[in-house]
């Protein structure tokens, strides 16, 4: 069997449009290429729902490779509090914890309860899309393992500045994310 996946992949991929007829063939081609490349230990994939996770696992088995699967948590359709802020369904995270190696989470759902739930299952969180400084800072302060951004150079520069500040002044205190 292939080796277990790393806890924090360098690159996470999402193969969208799983309802299209060509999607299973594209998934098989993706994992075939991953197996041939020898890069499985540097990758992660995002899957939506139990059927998506099962399709990814089956394609991985067929290609004799293993890539961590991150369950997709969208803010659309999420439970909302009295102020209208979306929150992740933490009981669903508990129920589906065995399906995934981590979670790919909308930044709008990010809060200390979600980070604690990920930590309770020893599952990394990858937060998307952190394109503003407030979103990036919330992810930084809450200690998420990775962020997805459309502005990678900008985000790298901001985080490098924060690292230097932390090295000089000590770590920042954790604060609740944008959701509370």
């Amino acid at each position: 069997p292939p080796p277990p996946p790393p806890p924090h992949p360098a690159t996470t991929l999402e193969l969208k449009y799983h309802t299209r007829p060509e999607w299973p063939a594209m998934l098989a081609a993706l994992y075939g290429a991953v197996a041939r490349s020898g890069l499985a230990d540097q990758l992660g994939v995002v899957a939506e729902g139990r059927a998506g996770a099962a399709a990814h696992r089956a394609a991985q088995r067929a290609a004799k490779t293993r890539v961590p699967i991150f369950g997709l948590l969208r803010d659309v359709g999420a439970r909302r509090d009295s102020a209208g802020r979306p929150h992740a369904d933490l009981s669903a995270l508990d129920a589906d914890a065995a399906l995934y190696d981590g979670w790919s989470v909308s930044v709008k759902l990010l809060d200390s309860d979600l980070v604690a739930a990920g930590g309770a299952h020893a599952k990394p969180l990858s937060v998307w899309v952190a394109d503003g400084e407030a979103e990036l800072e919330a992810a930084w302060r809450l200690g998420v393992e990775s962020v997805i951004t459309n502005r990678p150079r900008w985000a790298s520069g901001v985080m490098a500045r924060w690292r230097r500040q932390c090295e000089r002044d000590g770590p920042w205190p954790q604060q609740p994310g944008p959701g509370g």
Side-chain angles (χ1 to χ4, degrees), residues 9 11-16 44-49 68-76 88 93 100-110 114 118 123-130 144-149:
T11 302
T12 304
L13 308 170
E14 181 180 7
L15 186 59
K16 296 185 177 199
V45 295
V46 176
E48 186 169 8
I69 296 176
F70 287 74
L72 182 63
L73 296 178
R74 297 181 186 277
D75 56 285
V76 175
L93 292 182
Y100 304 113
D101 302 298
W103 287 288
S104 181
V105 181
S106 166
V107 72
K108 294 174 184 174
L109 297 174
L110 184 61
L114 178 60
K123 307 278 184 173
L125 296 178
S126 179
V127 177
W128 51 271
V129 172
V144 302
E145 286 77 7
S146 66
V147 295
I148 298 168
T149 181

Side-chain angles (χ1 to χ4, degrees), residues 23 32 37 41 56 59 62 75 109 115-116 122 128 146 157 167 180:
W23 190 80
S37 73
D41 63 337
H56 278 273
D75 56 285
L109 297 174
V115 173
W128 51 271
S146 66
E167 287 168 1

Side-chain angles (χ1 to χ4, degrees), residues 15-29:
L15 186 59
K16 296 185 177 199
Y17 310 113
H18 65 277
T19 57
R20 289 190 175 171
E22 64 272 18
W23 190 80
M26 293 170 63
L27 195 62

Side-chain angles (χ1 to χ4, degrees), residues 129-162:
V129 172
D131 284 345
E133 191 154 340
E135 297 150 338
L136 192 60
E137 183 177 333
W140 174 278
R141 286 183 184 270
L142 288 168
V144 302
E145 286 77 7
S146 66
V147 295
I148 298 168
T149 181
N150 293 310
R151 303 172 61 199
R153 286 191 181 115
W154 164 81
S156 292
V158 169
M159 290 188 300
R161 185 180 79 229
W162 291 344

